[in-house]
Amino acid sequence: MTTSQISEARIRTRHVSLVELTVYDNSLPLLSGYLQAYSQKDPAIAQAYDFSFFTRWVRDDHDRMADDLVGANSDVYAFSCYIWNMRLVRKLVAELRERRPEAWIVLGGPQVIRHAETYIPDGDTKVVVCNGEGEQPFYEFLTQLLDEEPDLHRVSTMSFRDPRGKIVSTDPNARLRTLDEIPSPFALGLFDGGGPYTYTTLETNRGCPYNCGFCFWGAATNSKVYSFEEQRVRDDITWIGENSVASVYIADANWGLSPRDIGLSEHMVNCRKRYGFPEQLVITAAKNRPERVAEISEILVRGGVITSQPVSLQTVNEESLRLVDRQNIRSSSYSQLQRTLDEKNISSFIEMIWPMPGETLESFRTGIGTLCRAGANTLTIYPQLLLHNTAMYDRRAEFGIETEPAAEPASEVEVVVATRWVSRADCVEGTWFYYVVQSLFNGRGAYFLGKYLDSQGIQPYEDMFWAATKFWQRHADDHDIARFVAESLSAADNYDLLNIGKVAYLALHSRRAEFDRLLRDFVVRQPWWEDPAARLAHDLDLVARPYIFREPVRTPGVELTEARLLDTGRRDLVIGLPPELAYLPGELGLIPAGQEPAGLRLTHHGRGRMPVPRTRTMHENAGYCHVMIQRLRTLLPECEPLSELPAETLTTA
């Protein structure tokens, strides 16, 4: 190839479409910005290529996406591939190969790394897979395309098919140790004028010091953590505030691992005060830094950008922790963090996974009871997913892992439905169990009742939840909430995290009175129902169960049994207590211990909740309800002990 031919090839402008198919609408394409910013450091690339972002919500019309991509007439289409969008990516790639056969397709991301045989079609030499951190390989790939005869063997960390159809994988390049080699796409103005964006990911570092078997983070980065320069991160956060981006997900594996994260959290809050944005922040907290995480949580909660702190426990089963290589994360760190958050009156939710390797149905039930007994605020229990490039994926035969594909048109989610320790039937039972826990503990359907039964040695939490599970299963045709759970498991869509929000929507709003009747139908059939204190605890659950929307207080859907409902206002209820049981609200933590009031005033203030939606469906409100149930402490009613019951109240009783 002559010098003039090379020059002519380089002069022709090529077009690159950087494709991100996201789970949130109006997402800022950070990864695409990284690829463009890094590649354009080379003046030859900046001159020869024109870049554009193609960002779509995975639930948008798929056929229209294909038409728009084809209509872009790009020379290169680069897809970010994840478990939640890979089925859609495959569909779009097939369309492009048929309608734009001369174009190159680059696939990168955790779903395709080291899986080229699966994702490069047979005989196709125009589809390539990036097997690691993408900025350097993508730049090398674009550089090779400037030559008339590109040599992909000279591109690091990449897999492709040679002319004989054989998969070739090149040597991996070293990870970027100085992340600031990637220019900030925020500072370069790559996102200016591209909004409005309502959601963005933000990285301050890459890497994870742990190697949990179910997670890709540590496996992808060989544990070493490298950071962006602090002022660059601060400037990026300022851009987010100035440009009214509402929600930020900090994609660090351990926020709070570094002391500088305290100052960065304060800067996030200061931007919220100055610009009104960001409104919401999601973090994954450091595992072995409880004091620092608690300090950060207080900064972010008081600053109004988070409402609840996740505590990523996953399981309390020691054998499970050993099998997934998580025993190096101290259990004492979780306990200390939980205590500190409680002392600061900060909501938290414990994250669990079902079914983990080594976990049995019995150990899972026992673990849930242990956490309830220890004072957990709420429990968020995720289904176990089998992720590519994790230790669990490599050990799936050893662990006896069986999966089923989720019924989701865009994703390649593989839901674990059995392990060596859990049969398919056990997995279903465990899933039923955690839906019941979601309603009775998180949703406060039987919170005080469960606490009374457990503390008095009458029935442990796990046994009460299990009895309720069996009752729900028998009455799935009679009550909407139990029917929803049965249908969710039958359709295999229980993997959808928003189902947690849907259950909350039903139990705390749209089927509130029916839920009261389901609870009553259950409790009256239990052997401890003859205990007056158990009946009063049930009454307290009926009047103290929170509201998830801002709405008037409702009279319970069943009559109280031991307490007397004396008055109901727009925001509060007044109940009278039987003198011989007046100690119980204090004993159960509804009011300070040691008091024996004549009655209680429970005020459901409604602050921090949106009004009841008049047109939006349960499915449209599931995300909101999911978030609200995780910040449950902020939804609980204020309870005022009454030494005397007002005469006018007694008159209306």
Side-chain angles (χ1 to χ4, degrees), residues 214 287 310-317 321 326 329-335 349-353 356 367 371 379:
F214 53 84
K287 281 52 172 192
V311 181
S312 301
L313 194 57
Q314 317 310 0
T315 179
V316 297
N317 182 276
L321 294 171
R326 196 177 169 87
I329 301 176
R330 301 187 301 271
S331 59
S332 60
S333 296
Y334 295 111
S335 301
F349 58 96
I350 293 177
E351 296 179 306
M352 306 284 286
I353 296 176
M356 294 272 280
L371 293 172
L379 305 171

Side-chain angles (χ1 to χ4, degrees), residues 284 472 498 606 622:
T284 301
W472 283 35
L498 295 185

Side-chain angles (χ1 to χ4, degrees), residues 294-597:
E295 182 178 355
I296 287 171
S297 297
E298 185 168 21
I299 290 168
L300 298 175
V301 168
R302 305 306 177 220
V305 292
I306 70 169
T307 53
S308 188
Q309 171 63 52
V311 181
S312 301
L313 194 57
Q314 317 310 0
T315 179
V316 297
N317 182 276
E318 293 295 331
E319 175 65 4
S320 292
L321 294 171
R322 184 187 68 80
L323 288 171
V324 300
D325 197 21
R326 196 177 169 87
Q327 69 271 30
N328 59 335
I329 301 176
R330 301 187 301 271
S331 59
S332 60
S333 296
Y334 295 111
S335 301
Q336 182 179 344
L337 176 59
Q338 181 73 63
R339 286 195 302 271
T340 305
L341 293 173
D342 287 345
E343 290 169 2
K344 295 177 180 292
N345 198 30
I346 295 173
S347 285
S348 64
F349 58 96
I350 293 177
E351 296 179 306
M352 306 284 286
I353 296 176
W354 166 256
M356 294 272 280
E359 187 89 86
T360 66
L361 178 58
E362 182 60 31
S363 71
F364 177 62
R365 288 167 42 190
T366 301
I368 295 297
T370 299
L371 293 172
C372 294
R373 206 167 291 119
N377 287 178
T378 61
L379 305 171
T380 296
I381 304 166
Y382 304 117
Q384 178 71 71
L385 307 181
L386 187 62
L387 304 180
H388 287 179
N389 301 299
T390 61
M392 188 179 298
Y393 185 88
D394 295 335
R395 300 175 71 182
R396 58 194 183 280
E398 174 190 349
F399 291 159
I401 290 175
E402 300 177 29
T403 65
E404 291 288 347
E408 165 58 52
S411 79
E412 279 191 343
V413 170
E414 289 291 325
V415 183
V416 174
V417 296
T419 69
R420 205 177 85 202
W421 300 267
V422 172
S423 68
R424 286 180 176 244
D426 284 345
C427 188
V428 171
E429 291 289 283
T431 305
W432 262 104
F433 181 77
Y434 75 62
Y435 271 113
V436 169
V437 171
Q438 159 69 12
S439 299
L440 300 191
F441 187 78
N442 292 356
R444 295 306 201 252
Y447 181 81
F448 293 113
L449 175 59
K451 191 172 186 177
Y452 170 74
L453 296 174
D454 186 87
S455 64
Q456 297 303 308
I458 298 170
Q459 187 176 48
Y461 277 110
E462 55 268 35
D463 291 351
M464 191 266 281
F465 295 147
W466 186 247
T469 298
K470 298 285 98 180
F471 182 84
W472 283 35
Q473 289 174 332
R474 291 193 302 271
H475 294 83
D477 292 334
D478 305 328
H479 295 280
D480 281 353
I481 297 176
R483 185 181 302 113
F484 172 82
V485 177
E487 291 174 351
S488 179
L489 269 67
S490 176
D493 71 348
N494 59 286
Y495 82 94
D496 188 348
L497 300 185
L498 295 185
N499 273 7
I500 294 173
K502 294 174 185 176
V503 171
Y505 181 91
L506 292 169
L508 301 181
H509 174 60
S510 68
R511 297 293 184 272
R512 190 179 183 94
E514 184 185 333
F515 186 43
D516 290 342
R517 292 190 288 273
L518 172 60
L519 293 170
R520 177 62 58 82
D521 286 351
F522 165 63
V523 298
V524 298
R525 290 170 169 80
Q526 304 311 305
W528 35 257
W529 184 243
E530 296 303 316
D531 181 350
R535 295 199 296 268
L536 178 59
H538 170 61
D539 288 345
L540 296 176
D541 285 320
L542 291 173
V543 296
R545 194 162 82 252
Y547 290 81
I548 208 161
F549 295 103
R550 192 185 319 135
E551 59 180 299
V553 167
R554 306 184 212 174
T555 301
V558 293
E559 291 187 4
L560 305 185
T561 57
E562 295 297 317
R564 294 172 296 148
L565 181 61
L566 302 178
D567 193 22
T568 303
R570 181 171 178 79
R571 293 289 180 216
D572 54 14
L573 304 96
V574 176
I575 62 171
L577 299 172
E580 68 277 12
L581 295 174
Y583 68 90
L584 192 62
E587 191 171 275
L588 295 179
L590 185 58
I591 58 175
Q595 300 189 43
E596 296 187 15

Side-chain angles (χ1 to χ4, degrees), residues 15-20 28-37 51-56 185 189-192 194 197:
H15 186 67
V16 178
S17 285
L18 300 165
V19 185
E20 293 192 41
L28 181 145
L30 180 64
L31 299 179
S32 299
Y34 284 157
L35 294 176
Q36 179 178 347
F51 295 83
S52 66
F53 301 145
F54 185 94
T55 309
R56 296 290 189 278
L190 299 187
F191 306 130
D192 292 355
Y197 299 116

